[in-house]
Amino acid sequence: MTVTSTPHGAADPFVEHRSLLFTVAYEMLGSAADAEDVVQESWLRWSAVDHETVRDARAYLVRVVTRQSLNRLRSLSRRKEEYVGEWLPEPLLTSPDVAEDVELAESVSIAMLTVLETLGPAERAVFVLREVFDTPYEEIAEAIDKSPAAVRQIAHRAKEHVAARRPRMQVERSEQQAAVDRFLAAVQGGDLQALLDVLAPDVVMVADGGGIAQAARKPIEGSTKVAAFLHTAHRINIEFTGMPISINGLPGARLDIPFDGSTTALSFVVEDGRISRIYAMRNPEKLQRLGEETLLQR
């Protein structure tokens, strides 16, 4: 077996692949805070290993992060069982570089991460590693301690599961942005008809307040109900500022309400020029990274 080592003065492989490792952990966990913890734990393990015995540093580090993420998923599942209201992934402010990688942007979108929440831990790990990062079955098998044959079966099941539940994403960013701009103008202007025009008839809005911020405890379905809910703030003269931002690689919006100092991050699914899904994050504990861009990469 050929052993490779890092030449004196060369960049540490962990530093080189850190953004990739964070992306793997974030896609598996849906939480930036937990992903950062996993990356830190993985660095501790990397710093303790003899690097000269590591043949493929990238594969080794992805394997460590995957195992740490699987361990973290078990504790997360217990926390989610006690969570107040709907649970949504933690939104991230992302740079234009993420949007340029269409496959990455779709894989880290709030809509996709919400679908991944319906997978079991092993299925989620296999799907992320295989479908997003094109990891060989043999490497995935080492990461989750299963045989390559078992991994292939899990991958097939997970792919079918996701395909049946994933929203039909509109990849044209210009069309997405146009819909978001129309939405913001309608909400800020209190134009109920314009709001109805930009919402798909079967639109669904899911909000996450975590029991901390006020938010609808159950999904709101249908354009009439969603529009009425969103129109309420303007009708009762609550002042707020809205601005378009990039959330998880796709056009989104940020609403700030001076009255109570609260913030809402909105992520959307746009189909045929109209908004079919709205994900509203109001839990302040999940909005702490919204002030700075996060680097995600494959």
Side-chain angles (χ1 to χ4, degrees):
M1 177 184 296
T2 302
V3 176
T4 58
S5 59
T6 305
H8 180 69
D12 186 332
F14 186 91
V15 175
E16 180 184 354
H17 299 301
R18 194 186 189 287
S19 295
L20 162 69
L21 301 177
F22 175 83
T23 306
V24 171
Y26 175 67
E27 290 213 31
M28 287 187 60
L29 301 170
S31 164
D34 286 291
E36 287 284 11
D37 287 345
V38 162
V39 171
Q40 180 65 20
E41 291 164 2
S42 300
W43 178 82
L44 292 174
R45 282 163 174 73
W46 170 252
S47 63
V49 75
D50 182 355
H51 296 174
E52 292 188 356
T53 65
V54 179
R55 181 172 57 88
D56 185 334
R58 182 183 186 277
Y60 177 87
L61 289 168
V62 168
R63 183 163 68 247
V64 172
V65 163
T66 299
R67 289 177 174 173
Q68 294 302 311
S69 296
L70 284 171
N71 291 337
R72 185 62 63 106
L73 272 175
R74 297 183 181 94
S75 61
L76 273 179
S77 64
R78 291 191 291 273
R79 278 156 48 186
K80 290 173 187 175
E81 288 174 0
E82 302 170 353
Y83 200 76
V84 177
E86 296 289 320
W87 188 96
L88 288 175
E90 184 178 346
L92 297 176
L93 181 68
T94 50
S95 67
D97 292 343
V98 176
E100 291 173 4
D101 187 335
V102 176
E103 291 184 3
L104 176 60
E106 181 176 352
S107 73
V108 299
S109 70
I110 297 298
M112 176 57 79
L113 292 177
T114 301
V115 172
L116 293 184
E117 283 297 314
T118 64
L119 293 171
E123 288 179 318
R124 185 165 184 170
V126 170
F127 182 87
V128 168
L129 293 176
R130 183 63 187 170
E131 296 299 319
V132 182
F133 299 98
D134 199 27
T135 306
Y137 289 113
E138 292 73 17
E139 288 185 19
I140 300 175
E142 287 187 38
I144 67 172
D145 294 322
K146 293 186 181 294
S147 69
V151 167
R152 289 178 184 273
Q153 291 181 339
I154 294 172
H156 179 71
R157 279 200 315 271
K159 189 173 182 178
E160 286 190 336
H161 180 99
V162 171
R165 292 164 176 78
R166 74 196 303 172
R168 184 167 60 87
M169 301 295 287
Q170 170 55 256
V171 297
E172 286 295 331
R173 186 176 178 86
S174 59
E175 188 171 350
Q176 292 176 348
Q177 190 64 64
V180 173
D181 291 344
R182 288 169 58 201
F183 172 88
L184 274 176
V187 171
Q188 290 181 292
D191 191 333
L192 182 59
Q193 186 56 54
L195 194 54
L196 287 167
D197 290 341
V198 76
L199 297 176
D202 59 349
V203 63
V204 177
M205 178 176 178
V206 182
D208 179 342
I212 303 173
Q214 187 174 1
R217 294 289 181 89
K218 296 182 179 180
I220 303 172
E221 301 181 1
S223 57
T224 302
K225 291 183 178 179
V226 171
F229 180 85
L230 293 170
H231 189 60
T232 299
H234 189 276
R235 191 171 66 245
I236 60 178
N237 296 318
I238 295 179
E239 294 185 2
F240 62 89
T241 58
M243 61 180 294
I245 59 175
S246 179
I247 294 180
N248 290 56
L250 296 174
R254 171 175 178 155
L255 303 180
D256 294 308
I257 303 176
F259 172 72
D260 59 7
S262 68
T263 294
T264 302
L266 297 172
S267 179
F268 307 90
V269 173
V270 176
E271 301 179 67
D272 299 322
R274 304 178 85 176
I275 294 171
S276 62
R277 293 287 186 279
I278 302 174
Y279 301 98
M281 176 55 69
R282 301 223 352 111
N283 184 346
E285 293 181 352
K286 294 185 180 181
L287 293 171
Q288 295 179 11
R289 296 175 65 98
L290 208 61
E292 58 183 46
E293 288 186 352
T294 300
L295 179 62
L296 299 170
Q297 71 177 55
R298 288 193 292 169

